Structure formats: structure tokens, C-alpha cells
Amino acid sequence: MAPQNKEAVEEETGLERIAKLPGIGPATVSKLKDAGYTTLQAIAVVTPEELHADTGIPLVTAQKIISAAREALHITFKTAYELKKERMTVKKITTSSKNLDSLLGGGVETRIVTEFFGEYGSGKTQICHQLSVNVQLPEEQGGLLGKAVYVDSEGTFRWERIEAMAKGVGLDPDEVMKNIYWIRAMNSNHQMEIVSKLFDFVPKENVKLVVVDSVTSHFRAEYAGRENLAVRQQKLNRHLHQLIRLAEVYDVAVVITNQVMARPDVFYGDPTQAVGGHVLYHAPGVRVQLKRSRGNKRIARIVDAPHLPEGETVFSITEWGIRDPD
Ligand code: GTP
Ligand code: MG
């Protein structure tokens, strides 16, 4: 890249403010960019430890960079009243099932992470497909007139399903498919890199929903065995915090899935004890446990959402997508 181009790019993203800090050279700026920190927003929301781990930049420098990014973005106190107003403007995406929507307090919310977890075939991927379609609906029909990003770690995304679901809600299938950005995550590092890049991509493309289906599979495969559990948890936590920030910073809905084994005793006992189910326990957001029922029926249950009452409901998976049972 020619030097003047490079400057132009830095000016666009705001990274030139970082480049001007005393003691910051072009090598540091390159390290930031290589690790996916291409905007001030992305930098402002990490901890110095994370920035250090992601880029290799010394901790003290990382601290300096983060402070500068926060200053540049005028990140400061909010009043409780402002928080209340923000809370009232949280937007919701319909699931196309009234039952499921009510369980979720109106639909899947922006600004937080919603996790669907459950056994294979419980409907996690189908719900992700449905939301990727429904986010494109006008607000009066339960959408946000926005686009979707689908991070697919298992290779189970099907455009055919999108087509059917788009028809099912009366949208033009081709238009709907054009507004869903699909990417296959090849491994856990790639998955995290993709999310870093989303801090740049999401605001540019009017994305209102980010799906990661599934959030855990690569981490499980790569860090199998008890002896790797601690490292896996640590890395997964970093990934989840990336996602939480993405939701908060850009007012988008982030939906993640997590396969856990079916254990009826656990389903009606303490769900946080489910195999792998404790993974996201400490992350804020909404957790929905899914379970297979008779035929195409599925049971959904809210687990420890601070602002939602506990409860469960039934929905079905039909040819046209998620619906209330007949
Ligand atoms: P894993 O990813 O394996 O953990 O499962 P999951 O929870 O993601 O399950 P998924 O959402 O893929 O649900 C699969 C179920 O959806 C199937 O058992 C079918 O009942 C239903 N399903 C999938 N595709 C279709 C379809 O084209 N038509 C209909 N009617 N149902 C479908
Ligand atoms: Mg799936």
C-alpha cells in the first residue's frame, strides 16, 4: 500500500489519533490492524490485558492506547435516567412464534447476547435462520429493517431454508438472501478474528443481527480434555466479551448457539450443570434452553435472565419456519 493511501485509511478509521500518541510507531498501528482493531470503537471496549494478548503490544502501551481511544470517543458517565431511556428504546426481533416472543419479553433484543442452547435437533439453527430473515421485516411486523451476519462454525447454514422462511413471512426471497452475510468460521481463532472485523463491518452495512452458530464447537474440538478446560474457558470468555461489546456498542442483537447434551434431570434441575452448559453462565444476556418434544414441537425455557420471568413455552418447526403449534 502506498504511504498516502495508508494515511487516508487511518484517517477514515480514526486510528491516526492512536498513531500520533508519543511512543507509538507504525509497527504498533500495524499490529492493531492485523489483530482486527481497525476502529477506535473496537479498541475502546477491550481491556489492556486483552489488547496485549491479541496484539503483543506491551501492557502499558495497550493501556495508553485504550485511554486515547476512549477519550477520542467521549466515553464518559451516563446518568441513571439516560440508562432508563436507553433501556426503553431496546428493540426486538420477532421469532415468528408468539409463544416464543412472549417468553422472550417481545422477541430477541438488541444490545445483548441471547444464547439458545440445547441438544441436537432442538431447533437452534432453525431459530437463527428465522431471525436472519425476520430482522429484515419492517418494525411494525417485528423486524428492524436491518441486515444479518451469519457466522457458521458447523457448516449448517442453508440458503434453501432462508428462501422458504422469507416466503413464509411475505418477503422477496432473493432480496432477503442478499441481506444476509454468511461466513464460515474455520477454527476458534478465525471465529474471533471475524468478530473483531465486525466492529468495522456492522455499522457500515446496517447490520442489526449477528448470529454465531455455534459459538462453542471449535473451542470444544480444539481444547478437548479436562486438562485444557481452563484455557478453553479463558479463550471462550474473551470471545463472549467481544460479542457482548459488539451488541452494546452498535445496538445490534447478537444470537449464539451452544449444543449441550440432553439430560432430563438437568433440564428440570439446575440447567447450569448441563454438559458444557455452564460455559456462558457468567456472561450477561438471555439464555434459552431448547428441548425436543413430540413431532415438530419444541420446548423453550428461559434460564436466569435478570429482567425476564422464568417460564417455558412450546413452538414448532414447520416447512415455513418457526411458528406457534396448531
Ligand atoms: P445441532 O446443530 O445438531 O445441535 O441441532 P440444532 O438445535 O441446530 O437443530 P436444528 O435447528 O438444525 O433443527 C433441526 C430440526 O429442524 C430437524 O430435526 C427438523 O425437525 C427441522 N427442520 C430442519 N429443516 C427443515 C425443513 O426444511 N423443513 C421442516 N419442516 N423442518 C425442518
Ligand atoms: Mg445447529
Side-chain angles (χ1 to χ4, degrees), residues 115 117 258 260 263 265-282 287 289 301 303-304 310:
E115 176 199 353
F117 71 106
N258 177 22
V260 302
R263 300 230 337 240
D265 54 319
V266 164
F267 192 73
Y268 290 104
D270 180 1
T272 60
Q273 295 303 310
V275 181
H278 62 289
V279 166
L280 315 182
Y281 184 45
H282 298 294
R287 307 184 65 222
Q289 188 165 21
R301 180 182 185 236
V303 178
D304 63 53
E310 299 242 328

Side-chain angles (χ1 to χ4, degrees), residues 118-127 154 156 161 213 259 290 292 295-296 298 317-320:
E119 58 191 313
Y120 76 92
S122 58
K124 303 180 293 291
T125 296
Q126 295 302 307
I127 289 176
E154 297 180 331
T156 52
R161 275 309 267 159
D213 181 22
Q259 194 196 65
L290 301 178
R292 275 180 295 169
N296 66 351
R298 300 290 185 276
I317 306 173
T318 75
E319 210 43 53
W320 304 107

Side-chain angles (χ1 to χ4, degrees), residues 8 122 129 132 137 148 153 157 161 209 230 237 255 270 284 286 293 318:
S122 58
H129 279 62
S132 303
L137 287 165
S153 72
F157 180 82
R161 275 309 267 159
L209 168 72
N237 275 336
V255 171
D270 180 1
V286 176
S293 184
T318 75

Side-chain angles (χ1 to χ4, degrees), residues 1 10 23 28 66 100-101 131-132 151 153 179 236 280 285-286 296:
M1 200 189 282
E10 280 168 14
T28 304
I66 292 168
L100 197 49
D101 284 354
L131 291 168
S132 303
V151 182
S153 72
N179 290 328
L236 194 50
L280 315 182
V286 176
N296 66 351

Side-chain angles (χ1 to χ4, degrees), residues 54 151-154 184-196 212 214-224 231-240 242-243:
D54 287 346
V151 182
D152 183 4
S153 72
E154 297 180 331
R184 181 92 157 91
M186 304 314 289
N187 53 52
S188 65
N189 280 335
H190 185 219
Q191 194 169 309
M192 292 177 77
E193 213 178 282
I194 291 168
V195 175
S196 296
V212 185
S214 102
V215 78
T216 41
S217 55
H218 283 314
F219 292 85
R220 286 224 179 92
E222 290 164 33
Y223 300 91
V231 185
R232 180 177 95 188
Q233 286 301 110
Q234 204 175 28
K235 203 170 164 192
L236 194 50
N237 275 336
R238 266 179 48 212
H239 185 41
L240 293 171
Q242 275 185 307
L243 291 165

Side-chain angles (χ1 to χ4, degrees), residues 19 47 66 87 99 129 135 139 144 149 153-154 165 196 203 226 251 266 277 308 319 322:
T47 65
I66 292 168
R87 181 70 220 148
N99 287 353
H129 279 62
V135 69
E139 289 200 17
L144 300 175
V149 165
S153 72
E154 297 180 331
M165 288 175 177
S196 296
R226 279 210 157 264
D251 189 22
V266 164
L308 291 174
E319 210 43 53
I322 305 297

